[in-house]
Amino acid sequence: MKEYSNAIWLDSLKNMNDWLEKNLKGALAQQTSSGKTVLTVFVVYDLPGRDCHALASNGELLANESDMERYKSEYIDIIEGHLKTYNSQPVVLIIEPDSLANMVTNIESTPACADSQKYYFDGHAYLIQKFGVLKHVAMYLDIGHAFWLGWDDNREKASKVYSEVIASGAPGEVRGFADNVANYTPWEDPSLSRGPDTEWNPCPDEKRYLEAMYQDFTAAGIKSVYFVSDTSRNGKKTDRKHPGEWCNQTGVGIGARPQASPISGMEYLDAFYWVKPLGESDGTSDESAERYDGYCGHETAMKPAPEAGQWFQAHFEEGIKNANPPL
């Protein structure tokens, strides 16, 4: 495990201030001493009204104008300043997991997502304008996973949403997209096909999902279509009874090791990477907790589980035990 790095989650104003410059500075020192390029990967994750369709990982900023200004001035602008200072080393930013996928599927069904819509779109436009002009920074917008946007109608909607979001950030540019962040969907699952078992999803694993998304996004006129796939927890098919189960799944296993250009014939797949640190909880199983989400109480969610982002030793050990390929 120590041989591979995880993404660093800037999931609050405090964590951003504690971890961003510290890790950029450390990477620069390592790069200078070794003479080799050192890449650092961060997850930008603090939009107002964050995670509007779930309760377990709601953020500190609310969906209102004053918190939108805080997001810009106290979060994005600070990140931009540090990135400009440390401009001799490559940086990857995974952008706001779950946010735009919620805009594709949950605006009409979830009032909190409707309330957050303006701030999600404005936040993305702002950060793309800021980060997308920095030549040493590559951004990947989150696109959920195969069992969220894999259906034909969802992919069609997604193509329009992501195309408009990228255009709104001009002249900033986006390298591509990140899939399966903090999820469990296997890279390949030949046992599944389009049928009743998958609710007629034509993309029942991440490989088929990215193949379809590449075609759809390219057809939509998106100029740069590359992917980073999170393989931190998808090495083994989990015990979940429905692919929509997302919280602390039993049977979890570490997946493919981080690797650039891992699949022959998929030149648009930039990398497998461990975006979600194995061992960090998806959400608490305590039904009395303010941020309790019912999915974390489901049968296949490991219990007892701490709050989202806190260390969950039993889940970590399960992932080690089920690693595929083995550690």
Side-chain angles (χ1 to χ4, degrees):
M1 289 293 291
K2 292 181 179 179
E3 293 180 13
Y4 301 98
S5 62
N6 284 109
I8 300 156
W9 287 62
L10 310 177
D11 54 0
S12 68
L13 299 176
K14 181 181 185 304
N15 287 342
M16 182 274 292
N17 284 307
D18 287 349
W19 297 343
L20 177 60
E21 185 175 23
K22 176 182 178 181
N23 282 282
L24 287 172
K25 187 175 182 179
L28 178 59
Q30 183 179 347
Q31 179 172 285
T32 301
S33 63
S34 68
K36 298 179 180 179
T37 301
V38 176
L39 170 70
T40 314
V41 181
F42 297 99
V43 179
V44 176
Y45 187 51
D46 206 23
L47 269 173
R50 187 181 77 192
D51 220 355
C52 60
H53 190 62
L55 299 176
S57 48
N58 291 160
E60 62 190 349
L61 301 178
L62 304 180
N64 59 48
E65 291 295 334
S66 61
D67 277 3
M68 185 74 242
E69 287 306 310
R70 292 191 68 197
Y71 179 73
K72 291 178 179 179
S73 63
E74 297 179 35
Y75 185 71
I76 297 300
D77 289 357
I78 303 302
I79 295 173
E80 178 197 24
H82 289 309
L83 293 176
K84 285 183 173 179
T85 298
Y86 293 88
N87 60 9
S88 64
Q89 63 208 83
V91 173
V92 161
L93 301 177
I94 308 296
I95 301 297
E96 297 292 354
D98 294 352
S99 58
L100 294 181
N102 273 315
M103 296 298 93
V104 174
T105 63
N106 292 322
I107 289 178
E108 295 179 1
S109 63
T110 306
C113 291
D115 293 342
S116 300
Q117 180 179 11
K118 177 182 185 299
Y119 306 106
Y120 281 21
F121 287 145
D122 287 354
H124 275 83
Y126 189 78
L127 68 86
I128 293 171
Q129 291 165 10
K130 291 285 187 175
F131 305 151
V133 295
L134 304 177
K135 299 303 182 184
H136 66 296
V137 175
M139 279 190 293
Y140 296 83
L141 307 183
D142 181 83
I143 56 169
H145 53 84
F147 277 97
W148 191 342
L149 300 182
W151 288 268
D152 294 343
D153 56 342
N154 286 347
R155 296 196 329 272
E156 182 180 358
K157 293 177 188 176
S159 296
K160 295 177 182 178
V161 167
Y162 285 86
S163 179
E164 291 172 0
V165 165
I166 292 169
S168 75
E173 298 179 352
V174 169
R175 169 69 181 178
F177 309 90
D179 72 291
N180 208 38
V181 171
N183 204 261
Y184 301 89
T185 310
W187 172 247
E188 285 188 280
D189 189 347
S191 70
L192 294 180
S193 60
R194 187 172 193 167
D197 290 344
T198 61
E199 299 179 0
W200 305 99
N201 186 349
C203 305
D205 57 33
E206 293 304 305
K207 184 174 187 290
R208 280 176 278 186
Y209 177 50
L210 293 192
E211 289 171 340
M213 283 302 227
Y214 176 76
Q215 296 295 330
D216 293 342
F217 281 175
T218 301
I222 297 176
K223 294 180 180 179
S224 184
V225 184
Y226 297 89
F227 300 95
V228 170
S229 191
D230 187 357
T231 58
S232 60
R233 306 194 299 180
N234 72 342
K236 176 182 177 292
K237 200 169 183 178
T238 61
D239 298 332
R240 61 186 181 181
K241 297 181 178 180
H242 185 277
E245 302 275 2
W246 54 265
C247 190
N248 299 322
Q249 291 301 287
T250 57
V252 63
I254 294 171
R257 309 301 179 258
Q259 180 183 348
S261 303
I263 303 296
S264 176
M266 293 184 73
E267 291 76 14
Y268 49 86
L269 178 61
D270 278 346
F272 287 151
Y273 194 75
W274 290 350
V275 180
K276 171 73 172 182
L278 176 71
E280 285 193 1
S281 175
D282 294 319
T284 181
S285 58
D286 179 0
E287 296 183 16
S288 67
E290 181 180 354
R291 297 204 304 172
Y292 173 73
D293 190 296
Y295 276 98
C296 299
H298 284 193
E299 181 182 349
T300 60
M302 185 178 287
K303 309 174 196 65
E307 290 279 359
Q310 293 184 4
W311 188 251
F312 192 178
Q313 181 67 21
H315 205 242
F316 176 77
E317 292 177 1
E318 182 106 333
I320 296 291
K321 179 182 70 176
N322 294 321
N324 178 30
L327 290 170

